[in-house]
Coordinates of all heavy atoms in Angstrom, one line a residue:
K11 N -135.9 -35.4 -69.6 CA -134.6 -36.1 -69.8 C -134.8 -37.3 -70.7 O -135.8 -37.9 -70.6 CB -134.0 -36.5 -68.4 CG -133.8 -35.4 -67.4 CD -132.7 -34.4 -67.8 CE -131.4 -34.6 -67.3 NZ -130.4 -33.7 -67.9
K12 N -133.7 -37.6 -71.4 CA -133.7 -38.9 -72.2 C -132.4 -39.6 -71.9 O -131.4 -38.9 -71.7 CB -133.8 -38.6 -73.7 CG -135.2 -38.2 -74.1 CD -135.3 -38.2 -75.6 CE -136.5 -37.7 -76.2 NZ -137.7 -37.9 -75.5
D13 N -132.5 -40.9 -71.7 CA -131.3 -41.7 -71.4 C -130.4 -41.1 -70.3 O -129.3 -40.8 -70.5 CB -130.4 -41.9 -72.7 CG -129.3 -42.9 -72.5 OD1 -129.4 -43.8 -71.6 OD2 -128.2 -42.8 -73.1
A14 N -131.1 -41.0 -69.1 CA -130.4 -40.4 -67.9 C -130.4 -41.3 -66.7 O -131.3 -42.1 -66.6 CB -131.2 -39.1 -67.6
S15 N -129.4 -41.2 -65.9 CA -129.4 -41.9 -64.7 C -130.4 -41.4 -63.6 O -130.8 -40.2 -63.8 CB -128.0 -41.9 -64.1 OG -127.7 -40.6 -63.6
T16 N -130.6 -42.2 -62.6 CA -131.6 -41.7 -61.6 C -131.0 -40.4 -60.9 O -131.7 -39.5 -60.5 CB -131.8 -42.8 -60.5 OG1 -130.6 -43.2 -60.0 CG2 -132.6 -43.9 -61.1
A17 N -129.6 -40.4 -60.7 CA -129.0 -39.2 -60.1 C -129.1 -38.0 -61.0 O -129.3 -36.9 -60.5 CB -127.5 -39.6 -59.8
E18 N -129.0 -38.2 -62.3 CA -129.1 -37.0 -63.2 C -130.5 -36.5 -63.1 O -130.7 -35.2 -63.1 CB -128.8 -37.4 -64.6 CG -127.3 -37.7 -64.9 CD -127.1 -38.3 -66.3 OE1 -127.7 -39.4 -66.6 OE2 -126.3 -37.8 -67.0
V19 N -131.5 -37.3 -63.1 CA -132.9 -36.9 -63.0 C -133.1 -36.2 -61.7 O -133.7 -35.1 -61.7 CB -133.9 -38.1 -63.2 CG1 -135.3 -37.7 -62.7 CG2 -133.9 -38.6 -64.6
A20 N -132.6 -36.7 -60.6 CA -132.8 -36.1 -59.3 C -132.2 -34.7 -59.3 O -132.8 -33.7 -58.7 CB -132.2 -37.0 -58.2
K21 N -131.0 -34.5 -59.8 CA -130.4 -33.2 -59.9 C -131.2 -32.2 -60.7 O -131.4 -31.1 -60.3 CB -128.9 -33.4 -60.5 CG -128.2 -32.0 -60.5 CD -126.8 -32.2 -61.1 CE -126.0 -30.9 -61.0 NZ -126.7 -29.7 -61.2
S22 N -131.7 -32.7 -61.9 CA -132.5 -31.8 -62.7 C -133.8 -31.3 -62.0 O -134.2 -30.2 -62.1 CB -132.9 -32.5 -64.0 OG -131.8 -32.8 -64.7
V23 N -134.4 -32.3 -61.2 CA -135.6 -31.9 -60.5 C -135.3 -30.9 -59.4 O -136.0 -29.9 -59.2 CB -136.3 -33.2 -59.9 CG1 -137.4 -32.8 -59.0 CG2 -136.9 -34.0 -61.1
A24 N -134.2 -31.2 -58.7 CA -133.8 -30.2 -57.6 C -133.4 -28.9 -58.2 O -133.8 -27.8 -57.7 CB -132.6 -30.8 -56.8
D25 N -132.7 -28.9 -59.3 CA -132.3 -27.6 -60.0 C -133.5 -26.8 -60.4 O -133.4 -25.6 -60.5 CB -131.3 -27.9 -61.1 CG -130.0 -28.3 -60.7 OD1 -129.7 -28.3 -59.5 OD2 -129.2 -28.8 -61.6
A26 N -134.6 -27.5 -60.8 CA -135.8 -26.8 -61.3 C -136.6 -26.3 -60.1 O -137.6 -25.6 -60.3 CB -136.6 -27.8 -62.1
G27 N -136.2 -26.6 -58.9 CA -136.8 -26.0 -57.7 C -138.1 -26.8 -57.3 O -138.9 -26.3 -56.5
M28 N -138.3 -28.0 -57.8 CA -139.4 -28.8 -57.4 C -139.1 -29.5 -56.1 O -138.2 -30.3 -56.0 CB -139.7 -29.9 -58.5 CG -140.1 -29.3 -59.8 SD -140.3 -30.6 -61.0 CE -140.7 -29.7 -62.5
K29 N -139.9 -29.1 -55.1 CA -139.6 -29.5 -53.7 C -140.8 -30.3 -53.1 O -141.9 -30.1 -53.5 CB -139.3 -28.3 -52.8 CG -138.0 -27.6 -53.2 CD -137.7 -26.4 -52.3 CE -136.4 -25.8 -52.7 NZ -136.4 -24.4 -52.8
L30 N -140.4 -31.2 -52.2 CA -141.5 -31.9 -51.4 C -141.5 -31.3 -50.0 O -140.5 -30.6 -49.6 CB -141.1 -33.3 -51.3 CG -141.1 -34.1 -52.6 CD1 -140.3 -35.4 -52.5 CD2 -142.4 -34.3 -53.2
K31 N -142.6 -31.5 -49.2 CA -142.6 -31.0 -47.9 C -141.8 -32.0 -47.0 O -141.9 -33.2 -47.1 CB -144.1 -31.1 -47.4 CG -144.8 -29.8 -47.5 CD -146.1 -29.9 -46.7 CE -147.0 -28.7 -47.0 NZ -148.3 -28.9 -46.5
P32 N -140.9 -31.4 -46.1 CA -140.2 -32.3 -45.2 C -141.2 -32.8 -44.1 O -142.2 -32.2 -43.9 CB -139.1 -31.3 -44.6 CG -139.6 -30.0 -44.8 CD -140.6 -30.0 -46.0
G33 N -140.8 -34.0 -43.5 CA -141.6 -34.5 -42.5 C -141.9 -36.0 -42.7 O -141.2 -36.7 -43.5
R34 N -143.0 -36.5 -42.1 CA -143.4 -37.8 -42.2 C -144.2 -38.0 -43.5 O -145.2 -37.3 -43.7 CB -144.2 -38.3 -41.0 CG -144.6 -39.7 -41.0 CD -145.4 -40.1 -39.7 NE -145.9 -41.4 -39.7 CZ -145.3 -42.5 -39.1 NH1 -144.2 -42.3 -38.4 NH2 -145.9 -43.7 -39.2
W35 N -143.8 -39.0 -44.3 CA -144.6 -39.4 -45.5 C -145.1 -40.8 -45.3 O -144.3 -41.7 -44.8 CB -143.7 -39.3 -46.7 CG -143.5 -37.9 -47.2 CD1 -142.8 -36.9 -46.6 CD2 -144.1 -37.3 -48.4 NE1 -142.9 -35.8 -47.3 CE2 -143.7 -36.0 -48.4 CE3 -144.9 -37.8 -49.4 CZ2 -144.1 -35.1 -49.4 CZ3 -145.3 -37.0 -50.4 CH2 -144.9 -35.6 -50.4
E36 N -146.3 -41.1 -45.7 CA -146.8 -42.5 -45.7 C -147.1 -42.9 -47.1 O -147.8 -42.2 -47.8 CB -148.0 -42.6 -44.8 CG -147.7 -42.4 -43.3 CD -148.8 -42.6 -42.3 OE1 -150.0 -42.8 -42.8 OE2 -148.6 -42.5 -41.1
L37 N -146.5 -44.0 -47.4 CA -146.6 -44.5 -48.8 C -147.4 -45.9 -48.8 O -147.1 -46.7 -47.9 CB -145.2 -44.8 -49.3 CG -145.1 -45.4 -50.7 CD1 -144.1 -44.6 -51.5 CD2 -144.8 -46.8 -50.7
T38 N -148.4 -46.0 -49.6 CA -149.2 -47.2 -49.7 C -149.0 -47.8 -51.0 O -149.2 -47.1 -52.1 CB -150.7 -47.0 -49.4 OG1 -150.8 -46.4 -48.1 CG2 -151.5 -48.3 -49.4
M39 N -148.6 -49.1 -51.1 CA -148.4 -49.8 -52.3 C -149.5 -50.9 -52.5 O -149.8 -51.6 -51.5 CB -147.1 -50.5 -52.3 CG -145.9 -49.6 -52.4 SD -144.3 -50.4 -52.5 CE -144.5 -52.1 -52.2
N40 N -150.1 -51.0 -53.6 CA -151.1 -52.0 -53.9 C -150.7 -52.7 -55.3 O -150.5 -52.0 -56.3 CB -152.5 -51.4 -54.2 CG -153.3 -51.2 -52.9 OD1 -153.4 -52.2 -52.2 ND2 -153.7 -50.0 -52.6
F41 N -150.6 -54.0 -55.2 CA -150.4 -54.7 -56.5 C -151.7 -54.9 -57.2 O -152.6 -55.4 -56.6 CB -149.7 -56.1 -56.2 CG -148.3 -56.0 -55.9 CD1 -147.8 -56.0 -54.6 CD2 -147.3 -55.9 -56.9 CE1 -146.5 -55.9 -54.3 CE2 -146.0 -55.8 -56.6 CZ -145.6 -55.8 -55.3
A42 N -151.8 -54.5 -58.4 CA -153.0 -54.7 -59.2 C -152.8 -55.9 -60.1 O -153.8 -56.6 -60.4 CB -153.2 -53.5 -60.1
K43 N -151.5 -56.2 -60.4 CA -151.3 -57.4 -61.3 C -149.9 -57.9 -60.9 O -149.0 -57.2 -60.8 CB -151.4 -57.0 -62.8 CG -151.1 -58.2 -63.7 CD -151.5 -57.8 -65.1 CE -150.4 -57.1 -65.8 NZ -150.6 -56.8 -67.2
F44 N -149.8 -59.2 -60.8 CA -148.5 -59.9 -60.6 C -148.5 -61.2 -61.3 O -149.1 -62.1 -60.8 CB -148.2 -60.0 -59.1 CG -146.7 -60.3 -58.9 CD1 -145.8 -59.3 -58.6 CD2 -146.3 -61.6 -58.9 CE1 -144.5 -59.6 -58.4 CE2 -145.0 -62.0 -58.6 CZ -144.0 -60.9 -58.4
E45 N -147.9 -61.3 -62.5 CA -147.9 -62.6 -63.2 C -146.5 -63.0 -63.5 O -145.7 -62.2 -64.0 CB -148.7 -62.4 -64.5 CG -150.1 -62.0 -64.4 CD -150.7 -61.5 -65.7 OE1 -150.0 -61.3 -66.7 OE2 -151.9 -61.3 -65.7
V46 N -146.2 -64.3 -63.2 CA -144.9 -64.8 -63.5 C -145.2 -66.1 -64.3 O -145.9 -67.0 -63.9 CB -144.0 -65.2 -62.3 CG1 -142.7 -65.8 -62.7 CG2 -143.8 -63.9 -61.5
E47 N -144.6 -66.2 -65.5 CA -144.7 -67.3 -66.4 C -144.3 -68.6 -65.6 O -143.3 -68.7 -65.0 CB -143.8 -67.1 -67.6 CG -143.7 -68.3 -68.6 CD -142.6 -68.1 -69.6 OE1 -141.9 -67.1 -69.6 OE2 -142.4 -69.1 -70.3
G48 N -145.3 -69.6 -65.7 CA -145.0 -70.9 -65.1 C -145.1 -70.9 -63.5 O -144.7 -71.8 -62.9
M49 N -145.7 -69.8 -62.9 CA -145.8 -69.8 -61.5 C -146.8 -70.9 -61.0 O -147.9 -71.0 -61.6 CB -146.3 -68.4 -61.0 CG -146.4 -68.3 -59.5 SD -147.3 -66.7 -59.0 CE -146.0 -65.6 -59.1
P50 N -146.4 -71.7 -60.0 CA -147.3 -72.7 -59.5 C -148.6 -72.1 -59.0 O -148.7 -71.0 -58.6 CB -146.5 -73.3 -58.4 CG -145.1 -72.9 -58.5 CD -145.1 -71.6 -59.3
L51 N -149.7 -72.9 -59.2 CA -151.0 -72.4 -58.8 C -151.1 -71.9 -57.4 O -151.7 -70.9 -57.1 CB -152.1 -73.6 -59.1 CG -153.5 -73.1 -58.9 CD1 -153.9 -72.1 -59.9 CD2 -154.4 -74.4 -59.1
E52 N -150.5 -72.6 -56.4 CA -150.5 -72.2 -55.0 C -149.9 -70.8 -54.9 O -150.4 -70.0 -54.1 CB -149.7 -73.2 -54.2 CG -150.3 -74.6 -54.0 CD -149.3 -75.6 -53.4 OE1 -148.3 -75.2 -52.9 OE2 -149.6 -76.8 -53.6
A53 N -148.8 -70.6 -55.5 CA -148.1 -69.3 -55.4 C -149.0 -68.2 -56.1 O -149.1 -67.1 -55.6 CB -146.8 -69.3 -56.1
Q54 N -149.6 -68.5 -57.2 CA -150.6 -67.6 -57.9 C -151.7 -67.2 -56.9 O -152.1 -66.0 -56.8 CB -151.2 -68.1 -59.1 CG -150.3 -68.1 -60.3 CD -150.9 -68.7 -61.5 OE1 -152.1 -69.0 -61.6 NE2 -150.1 -68.8 -62.6
M55 N -152.3 -68.2 -56.2 CA -153.4 -67.9 -55.3 C -152.9 -67.1 -54.1 O -153.7 -66.2 -53.7 CB -154.0 -69.3 -54.9 CG -154.8 -69.9 -56.0 SD -155.3 -71.6 -55.6 CE -156.5 -71.4 -54.4
A56 N -151.8 -67.3 -53.6 CA -151.2 -66.6 -52.5 C -151.0 -65.1 -52.9 O -151.3 -64.2 -52.2 CB -149.9 -67.2 -52.0
M57 N -150.5 -64.9 -54.1 CA -150.2 -63.6 -54.7 C -151.6 -62.8 -54.8 O -151.7 -61.7 -54.4 CB -149.6 -63.6 -56.0 CG -148.1 -63.8 -56.0 SD -147.2 -62.6 -55.0 CE -147.7 -61.0 -55.7
E58 N -152.6 -63.5 -55.3 CA -153.9 -62.9 -55.5 C -154.5 -62.4 -54.2 O -155.1 -61.4 -54.1 CB -154.9 -63.8 -56.3 CG -154.6 -63.8 -57.8 CD -155.4 -64.8 -58.5 OE1 -156.4 -65.3 -58.0 OE2 -154.9 -65.2 -59.6
Q59 N -154.3 -63.2 -53.1 CA -154.8 -62.8 -51.8 C -154.1 -61.6 -51.3 O -154.7 -60.8 -50.7 CB -154.7 -64.0 -50.8 CG -155.7 -65.1 -51.1 CD -155.8 -66.1 -49.9 OE1 -154.8 -66.3 -49.2 NE2 -157.0 -66.6 -49.7
M60 N -152.8 -61.6 -51.5 CA -152.0 -60.5 -51.1 C -152.3 -59.2 -51.8 O -152.1 -58.1 -51.3 CB -150.5 -60.9 -51.2 CG -149.5 -59.9 -50.5 SD -147.8 -60.5 -50.8 CE -147.5 -59.4 -52.2
M61 N -152.6 -59.3 -53.1 CA -152.8 -58.2 -54.0 C -153.9 -57.2 -53.5 O -153.7 -56.0 -53.6 CB -153.1 -58.6 -55.4 CG -151.8 -59.1 -56.1 SD -151.8 -59.1 -57.9 CE -153.3 -59.9 -58.3
G62 N -154.9 -57.7 -52.9 CA -156.0 -56.8 -52.5 C -155.6 -55.9 -51.3 O -156.2 -54.9 -51.0
K63 N -154.6 -56.4 -50.6 CA -154.2 -55.7 -49.3 C -153.0 -54.7 -49.6 O -151.9 -55.2 -50.0 CB -153.8 -56.7 -48.3 CG -154.8 -57.7 -47.9 CD -154.3 -58.7 -47.0 CE -155.4 -59.8 -46.7 NZ -155.1 -61.1 -47.2
G64 N -153.3 -53.5 -49.4 CA -152.2 -52.5 -49.6 C -151.2 -52.6 -48.4 O -151.6 -52.9 -47.3
R65 N -150.0 -52.3 -48.7 CA -148.9 -52.2 -47.6 C -148.6 -50.8 -47.5 O -148.3 -50.1 -48.5 CB -147.7 -53.1 -48.0 CG -148.1 -54.5 -48.1 CD -147.0 -55.5 -48.1 NE -146.1 -55.3 -47.0 CZ -144.9 -55.8 -46.9 NH1 -144.5 -56.7 -47.8 NH2 -144.1 -55.6 -45.8
T66 N -148.5 -50.3 -46.2 CA -148.1 -48.9 -46.0 C -146.8 -48.8 -45.3 O -146.5 -49.6 -44.3 CB -149.2 -48.2 -45.1 OG1 -150.4 -48.3 -45.9 CG2 -148.9 -46.8 -44.9
Y67 N -146.0 -47.9 -45.8 CA -144.6 -47.7 -45.2 C -144.6 -46.2 -44.8 O -145.1 -45.3 -45.5 CB -143.5 -47.9 -46.2 CG -143.6 -49.3 -46.7 CD1 -144.3 -49.6 -47.9 CD2 -142.8 -50.4 -46.1 CE1 -144.4 -50.9 -48.4 CE2 -142.9 -51.7 -46.6 CZ -143.6 -51.9 -47.8 OH -143.7 -53.2 -48.3
A68 N -143.8 -45.9 -43.7 CA -143.6 -44.5 -43.4 C -142.1 -44.2 -43.5 O -141.3 -45.0 -43.3 CB -144.0 -44.3 -41.9
S69 N -141.9 -43.0 -44.0 CA -140.5 -42.5 -44.1 C -140.4 -41.1 -43.6 O -141.4 -40.4 -43.6 CB -140.0 -42.7 -45.6 OG -140.8 -41.9 -46.4
C70 N -139.2 -40.7 -43.2 CA -139.0 -39.3 -42.7 C -138.1 -38.6 -43.7 O -137.0 -39.1 -44.0 CB -138.3 -39.4 -41.4 SG -138.0 -37.8 -40.7
L71 N -138.6 -37.5 -44.3 CA -137.9 -36.7 -45.3 C -137.4 -35.5 -44.5 O -138.1 -34.7 -44.0 CB -138.9 -36.3 -46.4 CG -138.3 -35.9 -47.7 CD1 -137.5 -37.1 -48.3 CD2 -139.4 -35.5 -48.7
T72 N -136.1 -35.4 -44.5 CA -135.4 -34.2 -43.8 C -135.6 -33.0 -44.7 O -135.9 -33.1 -45.9 CB -133.9 -34.4 -43.5 OG1 -133.3 -34.5 -44.8 CG2 -133.7 -35.7 -42.7
K73 N -135.4 -31.8 -44.1 CA -135.5 -30.6 -44.9 C -134.5 -30.6 -46.1 O -134.9 -30.3 -47.2 CB -135.1 -29.4 -44.0 CG -135.3 -28.0 -44.6 CD -135.0 -26.9 -43.6 CE -135.3 -25.6 -44.2 NZ -134.6 -25.2 -45.3

Side-chain angles (χ1 to χ4, degrees):
K11 300 296 264 176
K12 286 192 183 331
D13 189 26
S15 70
T16 55
E18 288 171 308
V19 165
K21 183 180 183 324
S22 297
V23 169
D25 289 349
M28 294 175 183
K29 295 180 177 134
L30 298 167
K31 262 193 193 165
R34 183 181 175 99
W35 281 72
E36 289 182 359
L37 177 136
T38 303
M39 291 184 347
N40 272 306
F41 283 97
K43 179 168 84 176
F44 193 94
E45 301 167 350
V46 177
E47 177 191 352
M49 182 189 277
L51 189 59
E52 290 166 16
Q54 279 180 8
M55 289 168 69
M57 278 304 303
E58 282 173 21
Q59 284 194 331
M60 195 182 91
M61 285 201 307
K63 301 177 182 113
R65 296 195 54 188
T66 300
Y67 303 90
S69 61
C70 181
L71 201 61
T72 66
K73 186 176 183 302

